[in-house]
Amino acid sequence: MGPVLAGVLQLLALIAALALVYIPLGTYMAKVYSSDKHWRVEKWIYKGIGANPDTEMRWTAYLRGVLAFSAVGVLFLYLLQRLQGVLPGSLGFAAIDPDQAFNTAVSFVTNTNWQSYYGEQAMGHVVQTAGLAVQNFVSAAVGIAVAVALVRGFARSRTGELGNFWTDLVRGVVRILVPLAAIAAVVLVACGAMQNFSGIHEVGQFMGGSQQWNGGAVASQEAIKEIGTNGGGYFNANSAHPFENPTPFSNLFEIFLILVIPFALTRTFGILVGSVKQGYAILATMGTIWLGFTALMMWTEFAHHGPAFEIAGGAYEGKEVRFGVGSSAIFATSTTLTSTGAVDSFHSSFTGLGGGITMLGMMLGEIAPGGVGSGLYGMLIMAIIAVFIAGLMVGRTPEYLGKKIGTREIKLAACYILVTPALVLIFTAVAMALPTPVNSMTNSGAHGFSEILYAYTSASNNNGSAFAGLNADTQWFNTTLGLCILLGRFVPMVFVLALAGSLAEQKPVPATAGTLRTEKPLFTGLLVGAILIITGLTYFPALALGPLAEGLAS
Amino acid sequence: MTTEVTNQEDSMSTATPTRAPHSDVPTGHKSPEGRVGAGLFDPKQLVRSLPDAFRKLDPRVMVKSPVMFVVWIGSILTTAFSFKDPGDWFGWTISAWLWLTVIFANLAEAVAEGRGKAQADTLRKAKTDTVARRLVGDREEQVPGTELSIGDLVVCEAGDIIPGDGDVIEGVASVDESAITGESAPVIRESGGDRSAVTGGTKVLSDRIVIKITTKPGETFIDRMINLVEGAARQKTPNEIALNILLASLTIVFLLACATLPPFADYAGTHLTLVVLVALLVCLIPTTIGALLSAIGIAGMDRLVQRNVLAMSGRAVEAAGDVSTLLLDKTGTITLGNRQAAEFVPVSGTTEAEIADAAQLSSLADETPEGRSIVVLAKEKYGLRERHQGELVGAEWITFTAQTRMSGVDLTEDGVARKVRKGAAGSVMAWVQERGGTVADDADTTANRISEAGGTPLLVALEDDRGARVLGVIHLKDVVKDGMRERFEELRRMGIKTVMITGDNPLTAKAIAEEAGVDDFLAEATPEDKMALIKREQAGGKLVAMTGDGTNDAPALAQADVGVAMNTGTSAAKEAGNMVDLDSNPTKLIEIVEIGKQLLITRGALTTFSIANDVAKYFAIIPALFAAVYPGLDKLNIMGLSSPDSAILSAVIFNALIIIALVPLSLKGVQYRPVSADRMLRRNLTIYGLGGLVAPFIGIKLIDLLISLIPGL
């Protein structure tokens, strides 16, 4: 079996597995967010945090919940890292520097998981498990909660109420993420991933010299890292590390984990707005882009010309031979089209165009299928924009899911789509204009520019993957990337929740034969086109000077 | 049985046959002097509007359109830059084309406004300074029309121009309203009822009326009309504002993309001049739609004016596109103005000739259209000569009143006293029974049968030496206008529900509703019922459109999202509605909806086109800027443009020319066909989405070919 066929078969197996769980998981999640019963353990938590799970919140209250909870998370994680030197179970690692601790704290609280540190050389057991792993769960749950709030905005009418943030948060963790992560962790352990609290081992190497390895609760963190589209590796090598991702099967399984919730959420959305077909349309949009990007990536990685590539049968540089070119290509597009940022291969070593595909994936706003929750709300914002532009062409003022897209709605949606391009482009431009940040580049020319462009794209879109090569552990990058991460997460959330509030207050517009049918393939095509054109146009000049210049050179 | 002869509306309005509502599909304007501008685009208008286009370069005007304001600033910057380097022909050429882009945009707006100006001038002629004859007590005094205030009473006699808007409180007069409606046939205005409103600037042709002024000078109907057609009162509509926001945000995105480019380029080893950056920016921001947006809005209003409809707010035009329920008055809209006699049905023991004779006799004094139609039927079908009231000596005529609901005649022929009556079944039966007569069983069954079939039964009774008895039944039928069924079918495809409003009883209403093909009906409708229906529909999120003319329609007109008042109606109705139809043609509601939709479609189509255009421009400009440092990027030059300078210039020129090329479309509106949303979207996406993607590739290539022919480049 050739590597191309292997890649295609793995892709088909992945799609089959996702299709299999789509309906049960999506339906289950819809029940989770619409049930009025509380589990006992949840009641204890509500009592513990002093929240009344049955009060309804307007968007402002919901937002306050999101921001307050995240602020506490950042502070806690920051202090934990700063105090690492005096904490037990720290494997003797010292406290993290303030700029890096800030960067890491915001990075994990925002579901970004950009890492400017080497996990195995900086973070002890306590920070890893009580800090980073906890945020892997709750940051994912916050993302889903905000998406559910937006969906409720569409589903509800003549009320400003969007549900209860604390309930949504706790249920997301207790009923969805913890059970799924537990199952996934067991599977990963079975594959051979590590799960212990062992210390540092000195291991001798074949060629002489020695190497330090340390153990840890790796499998459990790996599970939530993928399921929650977090991406922060236990080890620096992330999912390319055999302790995190031991076999080709575990590799495919991890890709499955990355994609499973974001895709299934479209069904949850369909059920909650009362039309599963609308969910399928969003699924089709996400699926089309994801599949298109993956196919393109496999093509560029397999077909790349040059003697070395032709002998190897593809662009093997930076990819694990355990996984092969095909599976690595699927992983790379999946991790950048979601907000995961875990890597099983090094995007910097991809072909020029391949690297560009990973960047474009993030630049789309990570909506196909996107991060847990954030992918859905990002996609719904794009749907609003597409409905607004094209919806007029059916001769009615635009409406989506029975809600009018008026001045207020379009203002909020327009603000949303401005945030990340502004962060990416302005910060990249400033970094390029200043004398020092450029020194962090390992490469020169277009590839060097790609390193910095990738870093700000990844941070602002809360992806977290790195275009290996950039030395990001400098005060400049820790600080500015941290700011991008923070603003790229919470400013859009403000607009999403405001939009949700505005939609929930509207009265519904009944659908007639004159209404734009947003559940039809025509609309899906339109939405895909709008996403690609609007994002493509925004970043085309920047991409031209980075990956395109490099990729088209040969 | 509760069958009524006619509903109140019909019987009352017939007293003064004002201009009857048109029974055919309207044909737009019909003024001899061309009160409204031509519907088609005339290239000469471009030249005529040029001075206005330059006047609009004023920054205070420019700032209203965020996209074009950016181009305006860009033009200033590139011009200033060119002064620094006067030998740079490229800078000068780009600057010139950028200025042209701005001027083309202004031109589009000026042309749209120019079409209204001609109408405004005609209207102004009507607004000549009038002298009002104000009544103070019993005395008359002459005051200028501009000094009138609300509540003043003025007298107008034949030949006088009515000095201001008001209601007739005394007298009847025929009035020439051609100044505002373009219709030369005079109309009747009289005190009381629904035909009391008069408009300043119109001319009294006969008789004398006393008018109570209801509007301040300067705010009269004609003043508002002038403002509207000139665009002075134009405010941006909600959807236009929303679209402007989206366009502004896209402009910011591209501003970011261009403003951040210099450091990237410097790193790559090439320096971008300001001229090139501005050129790139202008090509990317949605200038096409930004330039044409306001022209589209003005043209939409203009299309209404051309059909003699005045929209008091642009919001109403937009709402018209969204309407999902149309309330249509049965009479005059769905059916011809009046019911007509279709047959005479005798009861057993009577002949058709007898009933025809009695029906004719009893209707001679009935001047309602229904009454006239009975006389006509008797003549056409039974050969009965129409007798005149005068030729029957000693006849005592009983005219129709809303109270008795009967008409007839008492006369003595050959020594026999005969009383003939015709009217609503209930009234006639009561009349017969009062006189000790009997009502034949089959009279009742026939009447029922007619009602169920959607007709109106009128009973004919006679009292002579044989006593009082019912002779038979006249079958009055509503005649549904030609083509209405197809029209409603179209509306249904567009997702619009039609509700027929009628004063008829439910049975009659149902039959007509079925015949006409409307979706629903409201029978025995009172103004309160109408109001309740509107509120119910609106509560379900639907937008409702209706027409009305009476004072009792005013609340419903105000409540409806689109309320079209008939110009013949009362001032209260005209105040309450957000549109006025000068032709007073209720069928026009359907056209108004189509115009609203067309406006929105045009906006969406050009927005889509504008954004889709950008793809090609990148393929022209990016290789031109960077192929020198990254030769690989020349692969993006798929159009094979001859040189970097000509590539950039071609994109800028295309960007400017496309505005002018699309002015006619934006004024005329995208072609609209009543099909389902799906088919409409597919069609428009293909033309304006796909077309917008492909067109600039061809256009830029052609311009580049032309430019490359210029020697020395």
Side-chain angles (χ1 to χ4, degrees), chain A residues 386-398 514 516 526, chain B residues 597-609 670-673 675-690:
Chain A
V387 158
F388 188 85
I389 294 171
L392 283 171
M393 283 195 290
V394 304
R396 285 167 73 100
T397 58
L516 174 67
L526 167 73
Chain B
K597 286 194 178 291
Q598 198 188 23
L599 171 73
L600 295 171
I601 294 171
T602 309
R603 234 180 243 163
L606 291 183
T607 307
T608 309
F609 186 84
V670 166
Q671 196 190 18
Y672 172 76
R673 288 205 199 108
V675 291
S676 72
D678 269 354
R679 289 185 53 190
M680 201 148 29
L681 182 66
R682 192 175 301 275
R683 185 190 137 85
N684 290 330
L685 261 185
T686 312
I687 299 177
Y688 300 99
L690 226 51

Side-chain angles (χ1 to χ4, degrees), chain B residues 655-667:
Chain B
N655 195 51
L657 290 182
I658 196 74
I659 295 174
I660 280 296
L662 290 173
V663 167
L665 181 71
S666 65
L667 295 184

Side-chain angles (χ1 to χ4, degrees), chain B residues 16-23 183 186-187 195 332 337-338 568 583-586:
Chain B
T16 51
T18 54
R19 201 142 42 80
H22 296 243
S23 54
E183 169 70 64
V187 295
R195 304 286 178 265
N338 305 289
T568 50
D583 294 338
S584 303
N585 172 5

Side-chain angles (χ1 to χ4, degrees), chain B residues 298-337:
Chain B
I298 297 169
M301 293 286 259
D302 192 54
R303 275 195 292 281
L304 277 179
V305 175
Q306 283 173 38
R307 283 167 180 78
N308 264 357
V309 176
L310 288 185
M312 297 304 168
S313 75
R315 185 184 287 262
V317 187
E318 237 165 48
D322 280 351
V323 159
S324 41
T325 308
L326 277 188
L327 305 192
L328 297 170
D329 277 325
K330 182 199 77 180
T331 310
T333 311
I334 296 171
T335 62
L336 292 178

